[in-house]
C-alpha cells in the first residue's frame, strides 16, 4: 500500500492550483451581469473559457447566474449556521418549497454540525465560506488563502459526511485569481451574487424588500444571511419575498455550477 504524506499531498494540490492559475492570465472578460459582490475593481482576471478539468468542468469565473433556461432565481444564505436563525430560515424555505444554497463559515459548521446536516437533509446545497470569514484574505499570501478555503471545506464536510460542497464564496466577495483557482481545483465553483439587499446591516424590512423586489437581472443570484447577528429582518423578508416570486412565475433553483 502506498502512503502519501501530507506534505506530498499539499505539493500535488499546489501543482493543480498552479496549473489552474495559468488559465487565468490569458484573457480578461466582463461577467454576464454586473458584479455587486465586492470583486469588481479587484485584480482578478476572469476568463470565461477557463476551467479546471475533473469529473465535471468547474469554470474559474465567478458564478452570478441561476441555473436554468430563463425565469429562474437562486437564493443564497450566508454566514451560518446559527442555532437561532438557521432553523427559522429553513422553516420559511420549507413552507414555500424553495431550495437554497447555504454558504457556511467553517468554524460555525464545526460548532453546529447538526444544523449543517439539517440544511443538507432538506435538499439545500452547501457552499464553503472560508474558515472564519476574513474579508481581507484577498490581501493575504496564497498559502493563507488556500488554508482558509480548504480547511473551511473540510470542516463543512466533516459536519455532514458524504454531502458535496459545490461552491466557494469569498468573504465579502474578496476573490483573487488564486482563490478562484484553488476553489475550482477542489471541485467548487466560485460563487458571487447579483442582488444584495444588505440585510446583514439591518436596514429595515421595507428597504430589504424594496431591493429584492426591484428590477431583477436575468437569472439572478440573491444574497441573504442567517448568521452574523440578529436576522429577524431577513426571516421577515423571506416570508414576504418567496410568495411574491411564486406569484410572478419565478422558479427557484441553484446557482450555475458549470457552464453559464
Amino acid at each position: 500500500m502506498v502512503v502519501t504524506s501530507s506534505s506530498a499531498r499539499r505539493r500535488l494540490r499546489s501543482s493543480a492550483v498552479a496549473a489552474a492559475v495559468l488559465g487565468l492570465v490569458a484573457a480578461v472578460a466582463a461577467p454576464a451581469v454586473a458584479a455587486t459582490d465586492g470583486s469588481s475593481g479587484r485584480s482578478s482576471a476572469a476568463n470565461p473559457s477557463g476551467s479546471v478539468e475533473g469529473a465535471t468542468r468547474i469554470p474559474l469565473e465567478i458564478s452570478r447566474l441561476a441555473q436554468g433556461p430563463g425565469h429562474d432565481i437562486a437564493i443564497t444564505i450566508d454566514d451560518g449556521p446559527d442555532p437561532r436563525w438557521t432553523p427559522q430560515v429553513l422553516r420559511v424555505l420549507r413552507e414555500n418549497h424553495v431550495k437554497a444554497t447555504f454558504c457556511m463559515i467553517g468554524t460555525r459548521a464545526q460548532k453546529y454540525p447538526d444544523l449543517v446536516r439539517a440544511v443538507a437533509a432538506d435538499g439545500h446545497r452547501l457552499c464553503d465560506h472560508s474558515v472564519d470569514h476574513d474579508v481581507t484574505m484577498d490581501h493575504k499570501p496564497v498559502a493563507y488563502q488556500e488554508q482558509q478555503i480548504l480547511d473551511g471545506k473540510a470542516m463543512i464536510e466533516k459536519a455532514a459526511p458524504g454531502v458535496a460542497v459545490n461552491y466557494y464564496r469569498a468573504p465579502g466577495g474578496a476573490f483573487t485569481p488564486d482563490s478562484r483557482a484553488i476553489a475550482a481545483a477542489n471541485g467548487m465553483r466560485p460563487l458571487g451574487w447579483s442582488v444584495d439587499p444588505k440585510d446583514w446591516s439591518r436596514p429595515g424590512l421595507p428597504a430589504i424588500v424594496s431591493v429584492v423586489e426591484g428590477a431583477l437581472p436575468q437569472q439572478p443570484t440573491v444574497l441573504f444571511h442567517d448568521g452574523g447577528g440578529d436576522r429577524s429582518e431577513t426571516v421577515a423578508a423571506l416570508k414576504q419575498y418567496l410568495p411574491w416570486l411564486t406569484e410572478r412565475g419565478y422558479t427557484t433553483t441553484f446557482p450555475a455550477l458549470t457552464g453559464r
Side-chain angles (χ1 to χ4, degrees):
M1 179 176 67
V2 178
V3 178
T4 305
S5 68
S6 59
S7 61
R9 287 195 299 271
R10 184 166 288 275
R11 285 196 299 271
L12 289 171
R13 186 170 60 196
S14 297
S15 296
V17 170
V21 171
L22 291 176
L24 289 166
V25 299
V28 176
V33 296
T36 64
D37 52 24
S39 61
S40 180
R42 299 185 188 275
S43 60
S44 66
N47 175 14
S49 63
S51 63
V52 173
E53 295 289 349
T56 58
R57 293 172 61 88
I58 304 296
L60 299 173
E61 67 170 332
I62 300 169
S63 173
R64 298 185 180 90
L65 297 176
Q67 67 184 22
H71 208 53
D72 303 280
I73 186 168
I75 303 296
T76 62
I77 314 289
D78 279 24
D79 294 357
D82 181 273
R84 180 175 183 182
W85 304 111
T86 301
Q88 294 187 45
V89 169
L90 284 174
R91 188 177 306 115
V92 177
L93 295 174
R94 196 178 304 122
E95 289 170 350
N96 288 276
H97 310 288
V98 168
K99 304 301 181 187
T101 300
F102 282 75
C103 300
M104 297 184 173
I105 297 171
T107 52
R108 304 289 294 178
Q110 188 176 56
K111 187 173 183 179
Y112 303 109
D114 55 327
L115 291 177
V116 182
R117 292 191 290 271
V119 168
D122 271 9
H124 305 292
R125 282 189 180 175
L126 302 183
C127 169
D128 173 11
H129 203 27
S130 81
V131 170
D132 54 15
H133 204 270
D134 180 357
V135 296
T136 68
M137 63 183 284
D138 55 330
H139 301 295
K140 304 287 180 64
V142 174
Y144 175 82
Q145 296 178 47
E146 182 179 45
Q147 175 265 324
Q148 282 281 313
I149 295 167
L150 299 188
D151 287 1
K153 179 175 185 280
M155 290 173 177
I156 298 168
E157 290 174 335
K158 184 176 181 180
V163 179
V165 179
N166 301 108
Y167 307 91
Y168 167 68
R169 173 171 279 169
F175 285 99
T176 67
D178 293 306
S179 68
R180 290 189 285 121
I182 290 164
N186 288 273
M188 296 181 290
R189 178 74 187 267
L191 177 60
W193 58 83
S194 51
V195 179
D196 179 9
K198 301 189 184 302
D199 61 312
W200 60 269
S201 67
R202 300 185 64 200
L205 178 60
I208 296 173
V209 171
S210 175
V211 172
V212 297
E213 292 185 358
L216 294 176
Q218 185 180 23
Q219 296 169 265
T221 294
V222 184
L223 174 63
F224 290 103
H225 295 76
D226 66 337
D230 184 340
R231 295 293 163 247
S232 56
E233 291 179 359
T234 301
V235 173
L238 286 168
K239 287 180 179 178
Q240 183 171 331
Y241 184 49
L242 298 182
W244 182 89
L245 290 172
T246 299
E247 290 169 2
R248 282 152 184 79
Y250 278 93
T251 300
T252 54
T253 183
F254 297 113
L257 185 60
T258 58
R260 287 189 63 225

